[in-house]
Amino acid sequence: MAALGRQVCDWHRLTALSWACLSRRTPHLRERRRMSPSLFCKLTTVCSGESLQESSCVRPKKYVLDPEYSTQLVPCLHGEQRTRVEPKSSELEKVISSLQDMGFDEAHVNSLLSMQPTVHPQQLLDIISEFLLLGLHPEPVFMAMKKSPQLLKLSTVQMKKRSSYLRKLGLGEGKLKSLLHGCPEVFTMRQRDIESVVKVLKEKCLFTVQQITELLHRCPAVFQEDPSKLEYKFQYAYFRMGIKQRDIVRSDFLQYSVTKIKQRHMYLERLGRYQTPDKKGQTQIPNPLLKDILRVSEDEFLARTACSSAEEFEVFKKLLEREEEESESHVSEEEEEDEEEEEL
Amino acid sequence: MTYSVQFGDLWPSIRVSLLSEQKYSALVNNFDAWDNVSAKLEHLGAKDFVKEAISPQELEPESDLSPPPSLNYSPNLRCFTFPRGDISRFPPARLGSLGLMDYYLMDAASLLPVLALGLQPGDTVLDLCAAPGGKTLALLQTGCCRNLAANDLSTSRTGRLQKVLHSYVPQDIREGNQVRVTSWDGRRWGELEGDTYDRVLVDVPCTTDRHSLHEEENNIFQRSRKKERQMLPMLQVQLLAAGLLATKPGGHVVYSTCSLSHLQNEYVVQGAIELLANQYSVKVQVEDLSHFRKLFMDTFSFFPSCQVGELVIPNLMANFGPMYFCKMHRLP
């Protein structure tokens, strides 16, 4: 009996190793074939040869059905911890296999299942299916879920509604991938928050529909901005810097923080290297390109565009911060005074 | 303004400094508890830039040689600034223990003309365009003025000067014969008090570039004031000439402005010297201040290419100035 016991141990080890060896040698099997645990068991039986014959008295099927065993097996292959899953093992098995059918590998499957333990695996499967239906591949979907697990909490109804709204905005299948990567919150945000952003872009900033589409595609973080701050940024670009809608979109202007924009622009302006165009859109000096102002690193900005030193820029930033603070408090003081006057 | 031509690559950093908040220094009031005040200012993190500039000089081994005359700087001036790049502000001045204000906030560069003038104990001093009074106060702080005559054409501005003296200078000094405040036309001083003073400061009205860049209304650079602007150098020459005539032979004059323009700076100095030579047969020599400049190089940015005199240019690391000054010796 002891000998048998040893052989059983060997066999388990062998199976584990065989699975690993199989995975490596048969990557295509991951994609569309059924790789349920029962199947792999048969494969290993074939592979291992003689030693298995002796252990045929051990019933493989038994251990497949044992959830505890299956949880232990996969970690020893891929070293991942797995949390407990409440639902019935057969349901879980179905979900696992469906996910694998869709093209998620074992590791990703485990990862997905452990991300939101409160979410029912079936719901998880449904929502992932929705994402795949958008034309996205498993790998990007997995990355998005990993980055923002709250996506898994969406209902399919919410998902469908949001996708159709985004499509209406011109953000079709091809663009949704970058949206999902750049700003997954686009799917989980409140509808009215998205609408207020779009409204500002359309009605206050007067972007065309195509410009809005392009903007949202290039800078999806814009969706999450406070609409009044967005409007302020736009006005700064348009009136203060003399940049029109087309260039605002092309330069990804709206993705930069107001602080950075003001620091760099006002520094250039006070150096005499940037002028606000007059009514005819003309300046006495050629203004630097927007990309050389905002897109470049600070070092490059200082070396090439501003032609100034880092220490001077540091002092300038501090002075500007103070100026802004003081003008804000001055404005609110004035407002208070106005209010007081009105009361009289 | 054609300053970009005059200053070349330096212009952008000057421009950004002119358009940004000016840095102030605290001139300690020696008439109140100056040692307490100094300690308080040090505690804030500021340093006496005069002391820092002067003291390494005194430790030099070549002390058996008497220093060149231009290295005579007015004594007893204590003036604190925050370090380079530090934009901290001084708290507003307060009344000290003797009922006088503890320090006077001013642009540190404004102290340089007074330091350069090199007052010595017992000197009779004339401040020809004294208002609003920062440099006048500094002259009194040296403790060297046997008599100080402070003048400004504008009566409203001399009013301000009086207020400053009231707040900072003890009554017995103000009300005795020691200090005299007048509102006469400075150009007349040659006739009024010719050959009278040991030291004369001519800190002329100028385009006050720093303020002009900020103010929209009634800006000296606007078109409607072009004539006034063009007349300015002539006025400045006349004032400097008057100051030179009011100096005793063998005495010294410092001419200063807060403008960057050489039309108001070097041209005026050269014009006045020529005028005095041609019309009055008075010989005036410019004194070299390059040693003096070296003393203060760590605190201020100096323009390297002045033909005569020195020019402090604003820089974000040390946002003082602009301040032009030139020292002259009226030959005996």
Side-chain angles (χ1 to χ4, degrees):
Chain A
M1 278 315 273
L4 187 61
R6 238 193 337 268
Q7 279 166 348
V8 169
C9 289
D10 287 345
W11 187 78
H12 293 165
R13 227 182 323 116
L14 263 169
T15 336
L17 288 168
S18 307
W19 172 243
C21 121
L22 258 176
S23 310
R24 277 198 297 277
R25 289 184 194 177
T26 57
H28 62 279
L29 283 174
R30 282 188 221 152
E31 286 194 73
R32 293 285 170 193
R33 303 286 178 77
R34 301 205 101 216
M35 288 301 283
S36 59
S38 49
L39 178 64
F40 101 70
C41 199
K42 284 182 200 154
L43 287 169
T44 52
T45 313
V46 167
C47 219
S48 304
E50 292 166 351
S51 51
L52 283 171
Q53 282 173 346
E54 288 169 279
S55 51
S56 52
C57 58
V58 176
R59 285 153 57 209
K61 280 190 186 162
K62 189 177 175 187
Y63 100 73
V64 164
L65 289 171
D66 181 355
E68 215 183 300
Y69 227 115
S70 52
T71 58
Q72 283 170 4
L73 189 66
V74 178
C76 76
L77 293 170
H78 298 278
E80 274 191 270
Q81 284 302 305
R82 198 167 163 208
T83 53
R84 281 190 317 279
V85 180
E86 311 305 355
K88 285 184 274 190
S89 53
S90 58
E91 241 185 51
L92 178 64
E93 186 199 323
K94 277 188 200 147
V95 167
I96 292 174
S97 64
S98 304
L99 285 172
Q100 288 171 329
D101 278 351
M102 290 166 182
F104 292 98
D105 69 27
E106 199 75 13
H108 286 0
V109 169
N110 284 337
S111 200
L112 286 168
L113 287 169
S114 58
M115 274 178 201
Q116 293 282 16
T118 55
V119 172
H120 197 279
Q122 185 57 45
Q123 185 189 338
L124 192 139
L125 184 66
D126 291 340
I127 197 74
I128 289 178
S129 313
E130 279 300 327
F131 277 107
L132 292 171
L133 279 172
L134 291 178
L136 295 156
H137 288 281
E139 188 63 30
V141 170
F142 174 73
M143 295 309 294
M145 301 299 142
K146 190 169 174 199
K147 191 176 159 192
S148 322
Q150 69 274 18
L151 286 168
L152 293 168
K153 285 188 173 174
L154 283 171
S155 76
T156 48
V157 171
Q158 288 170 315
M159 234 328 257
K160 285 196 218 283
K161 259 198 194 160
R162 184 53 53 87
S163 313
S164 93
Y165 178 74
L166 291 171
R167 267 191 216 102
K168 248 182 25 184
L169 286 177
L171 296 162
E173 270 58 40
K175 301 197 167 93
L176 284 171
K177 180 179 167 193
S178 62
L179 212 60
L180 192 60
H181 182 263
C183 185
E185 291 78 9
V186 166
F187 291 93
T188 51
M189 280 173 70
R190 288 190 310 182
Q191 180 65 16
R192 69 162 178 267
D193 290 341
I194 295 196
E195 278 173 4
S196 59
V197 168
V198 175
K199 189 171 178 204
V200 157
L201 294 173
K202 219 180 243 173
E203 292 172 22
K204 298 283 176 74
C205 309
L206 305 178
F207 283 107
T208 64
V209 169
Q210 287 101 314
Q211 283 168 341
I212 293 178
T213 306
E214 201 184 332
L215 216 146
L216 294 172
H217 176 228
R218 292 169 73 124
C219 308
V222 162
F223 273 117
Q224 289 191 292
E225 279 226 38
D226 175 70
S228 57
K229 290 208 178 107
L230 202 58
E231 194 183 345
Y232 179 84
K233 233 189 260 193
F234 168 80
Q235 288 177 335
Y236 193 88
Y238 195 84
F239 296 108
R240 196 80 172 67
M241 295 179 72
I243 309 172
K244 302 287 183 280
Q245 283 85 347
R246 194 181 72 145
D247 291 320
I248 293 176
V249 174
R250 288 211 298 202
S251 62
D252 298 328
F253 189 92
L254 296 174
Q255 78 175 355
Y256 302 108
S257 71
V258 172
T259 308
K260 177 173 170 174
I261 292 167
K262 278 187 166 178
Q263 281 174 349
R264 294 198 182 185
H265 165 250
M266 289 180 76
Y267 195 54
L268 290 176
E269 193 179 56
R270 292 190 194 180
L271 285 169
R273 298 201 194 277
Y274 191 99
Q275 282 177 3
T276 304
D278 61 15
K279 282 180 214 145
K280 293 182 196 162
Q282 291 170 335
T283 55
Q284 287 167 339
I285 53 154
N287 280 345
L289 298 173
L290 274 178
K291 67 174 173 70
D292 290 333
I293 303 176
L294 294 169
R295 198 174 291 173
V296 293
S297 70
E298 190 168 287
D299 287 340
E300 213 181 314
F301 167 73
L302 288 168
R304 280 201 346 201
T305 318
C307 304
S308 177
S309 71
E311 58 173 17
E312 283 172 88
F313 192 44
E314 281 311 303
V315 173
F316 178 77
K317 283 193 247 179
K318 287 188 222 160
L319 287 170
L320 189 62
E321 189 184 354
R322 195 158 71 184
E323 272 177 47
E324 301 272 290
E325 276 168 28
E326 288 176 356
S327 74
E328 260 169 58
S329 61
H330 182 66
V331 164
S332 56
E333 271 168 24
E334 277 180 349
E335 284 172 349
E336 275 173 24
E337 281 168 17
D338 288 343
E339 281 170 17
E340 282 170 14
E341 279 172 25
E342 279 170 18
E343 277 169 5
L344 292 168
Chain B
M1 286 190 272
T2 56
Y3 289 148
S4 50
V5 173
Q6 186 179 334
F7 293 99
D9 288 339
L10 286 174
W11 175 236
S13 63
I14 296 174
R15 191 182 193 278
V16 64
S17 306
L18 286 171
L19 290 168
S20 304
E21 185 180 317
Q22 185 174 14
K23 194 167 177 176
Y24 281 91
S25 65
L27 174 69
V28 175
N29 187 6
N30 290 329
F31 298 116
D32 210 283
W34 62 264
D35 42 357
N36 285 350
V37 177
S38 295
K40 176 172 126 183
L41 292 169
E42 260 172 24
H43 193 69
L44 290 174
K47 292 214 170 84
D48 180 350
F49 79 85
V50 180
K51 187 170 156 195
E52 299 230 313
I54 306 298
S55 40
Q57 178 69 19
E58 285 173 0
L59 294 169
E60 301 227 335
E62 31 183 346
S63 49
D64 40 278
L65 292 166
S66 56
S70 59
L71 225 48
N72 285 340
Y73 37 80
S74 305
N76 302 323
L77 289 169
R78 296 174 178 91
C79 193
F80 284 76
T81 55
F82 287 104
R84 270 176 74 81
D86 185 333
I87 62 165
S88 306
R89 287 172 176 157
F90 287 103
R94 293 193 343 205
L95 282 175
S97 46
L98 298 176
L100 297 169
M101 298 295 264
D102 50 6
Y103 51 78
Y104 183 83
L105 293 177
M106 62 191 286
D107 181 340
S110 297
L111 202 60
L112 295 177
V114 176
L115 280 162
L117 190 51
L119 265 66
Q120 283 171 4
D123 275 346
T124 51
V125 184
L126 168 64
D127 187 353
L128 198 57
C129 311
K135 296 188 183 72
T136 321
L137 181 62
L139 289 166
L140 285 170
Q141 295 292 332
T142 62
C144 295
C145 304
R146 176 148 42 115
N147 294 101
L148 172 68
N151 179 72
D152 200 276
L153 182 65
S154 151
T155 42
S156 63
R157 283 162 59 88
T158 38
R160 277 173 69 184
L161 170 62
Q162 293 278 29
K163 281 208 181 97
V164 169
L165 294 178
H166 223 92
S167 307
Y168 286 83
V169 181
Q171 197 173 8
D172 52 335
I173 296 180
R174 272 187 289 119
E175 291 182 0
N177 286 329
Q178 219 178 330
V179 180
R180 187 193 72 194
V181 179
T182 51
S183 295
W184 304 331
D185 185 344
R187 294 174 290 184
R188 295 176 55 211
W189 235 268
E191 338 153 0
L192 289 173
E193 291 187 317
D195 303 351
T196 308
Y197 295 94
D198 296 306
R199 312 267 165 186
V200 177
L201 178 63
V202 184
D203 182 39
V204 292
C206 62
T207 48
T208 51
D209 294 354
R210 185 181 283 277
H211 298 108
S212 304
L213 265 173
H214 284 283
E215 274 170 36
E216 295 290 320
E217 282 179 24
N218 209 25
N219 187 307
I220 185 77
F221 289 101
Q222 71 195 27
R223 282 223 179 85
S224 54
R225 293 183 74 183
K226 191 176 176 185
K227 200 98 201 259
E228 195 183 325
R229 203 166 68 243
Q230 289 172 334
M231 301 292 278
L232 204 47
M234 197 163 81
L235 168 66
Q236 292 162 335
V237 167
Q238 289 171 337
L239 285 167
L240 179 53
L244 285 163
L245 289 170
T247 315
K248 278 182 198 165
H252 295 82
V253 176
V254 165
Y255 172 76
S256 64
T257 74
C258 48
S259 167
L260 293 165
S261 162
H262 37 223
L263 293 175
Q264 295 173 49
N265 299 339
E266 292 124 297
Y267 284 33
V268 167
V269 169
Q270 285 158 346
I273 293 179
E274 241 179 69
L275 181 72
L276 251 67
N278 297 342
Q279 275 194 25
Y280 298 90
S281 305
V282 169
K283 281 220 182 102
V284 174
Q285 206 175 58
V286 168
E287 283 191 14
D288 177 44
L289 287 173
S290 44
H291 290 284
F292 181 86
R293 181 184 75 225
K294 284 191 186 113
L295 286 180
F296 293 100
M297 256 165 58
D298 291 336
T299 309
F300 302 96
S301 287
F302 286 94
F303 182 55
S305 327
C306 288
Q307 284 179 346
V308 286
E310 302 296 339
L311 175 62
V312 171
I313 51 179
N315 183 283
L316 283 174
M317 301 305 292
N319 203 356
F320 304 118
M323 181 68 45
Y324 173 80
F325 56 101
C326 181
K327 189 174 182 184
M328 287 157 270
H329 185 208
R330 176 168 170 178
L331 296 176

